[in-house]
Amino acid sequence: MTSLIELTDVSKIYGDLHALDQVSLSVPAGQWISIVGPSGSGKTTLMNIIGCMDRPSKGTVMLDGRDISAFSAYDLTQVRRETIGLVFQQFHLIGHLTAVENVMVAQYYHSVPDEKEAMEALDRVGLADRASHLPRQLSGGEQQRVCVARALINYPKVVLADEPTGNLDEKNEHIVLGIFEQLHREGTTLIVVTHDSTVAGKSERAVRLDHGRVVSDFFNDEADLAALPTKERK
């Protein structure tokens, strides 16, 4: 299976701190991976590097056939726009824009805003009837689904999600995970950073970090996610 993402001996060093320490990771196109581990283990640092928001101090990062390890900030931004969809725990919606306008913002930075396409993206996450609402008029779950629609609008090859259900109740967590399951069936590559064993259990594969190193890497039919330490659950 062709690797869409390939990290080789990647380290991120801040003074004496190794946020990542010689991490090697291969992610085939279409796979759904959960990145798990305790706070401070390097999960978000790893996501930032894969998501072209940061560069490694050492090592090689291949994304869609390109070595992006030494790309400039400008070039990384271009790759991110073309290849990556981002979903955050904090929704980062623009308060004075409607749901559909928030989705169209992502189009503006990629190509040309298209309200019809933005409406289709909202419909895909079940929010077409909330398109004209401002963020403050939406529930937390609805705001997160707007974020997912925004991440999908430019048809990314990879969707990166950092604790996407961390602020959601059980009902809305189920809705968001259902959207991710549909994306996985459609062949989208998903990388989800999570402390939640329920979310991790939905993925094909779980990669566990501790102190900046990969300490386990297994498919979910090979291990029981319920065995994750309590501190790694919600």
Side-chain angles (χ1 to χ4, degrees), residues 74-93:
Y74 174 82
D75 288 337
L76 285 176
T77 298
Q78 295 303 113
V79 173
R80 186 169 66 246
R81 290 173 181 173
E82 296 165 2
T83 311
I84 307 291
L86 297 169
V87 180
F88 300 99
Q89 180 178 1
Q90 304 299 329
F91 310 127
H92 299 303
L93 298 176

Side-chain angles (χ1 to χ4, degrees), residues 51-52 54 60 64 66 74 83 86 96 98 107 109 113 128 131 146 153-154 162 169 174 187 201 210 214 217 220:
C52 301
D54 202 354
T60 303
D64 198 21
R66 291 178 286 185
Y74 174 82
T83 311
L86 297 169
H96 64 274
T98 64
Q107 291 178 306
Y109 288 110
V146 173
I153 191 63
N154 295 319
D162 190 2
D169 58 26
H174 180 75
D210 200 357
V214 174
D217 183 348
N220 278 334

Side-chain angles (χ1 to χ4, degrees), residues 111-188:
S111 53
V112 177
D114 184 323
E115 186 172 353
K116 182 174 181 291
E117 283 191 355
M119 284 297 300
E120 289 171 354
L122 282 176
D123 186 54
R124 191 175 183 185
V125 299
L127 286 179
D129 62 337
R130 308 287 279 173
S132 62
H133 287 64
L134 297 171
R136 66 175 181 272
Q137 298 170 315
L138 302 172
S139 70
E142 288 171 336
Q143 290 184 59
Q144 187 61 292
R145 285 149 66 192
V146 173
C147 294
V148 174
R150 183 179 59 189
L152 299 180
I153 191 63
N154 295 319
Y155 306 99
K157 293 185 177 181
V158 184
V159 171
L160 297 178
D162 190 2
E163 298 287 358
T165 63
N167 288 331
L168 304 184
D169 58 26
E170 185 175 350
K171 176 183 176 181
N172 281 295
E173 177 181 282
H174 180 75
I175 292 170
V176 170
L177 288 178
I179 294 168
F180 284 1
E181 288 171 336
Q182 179 61 35
L183 290 172
H184 182 227
R185 287 192 292 269
E186 294 170 358
T188 302

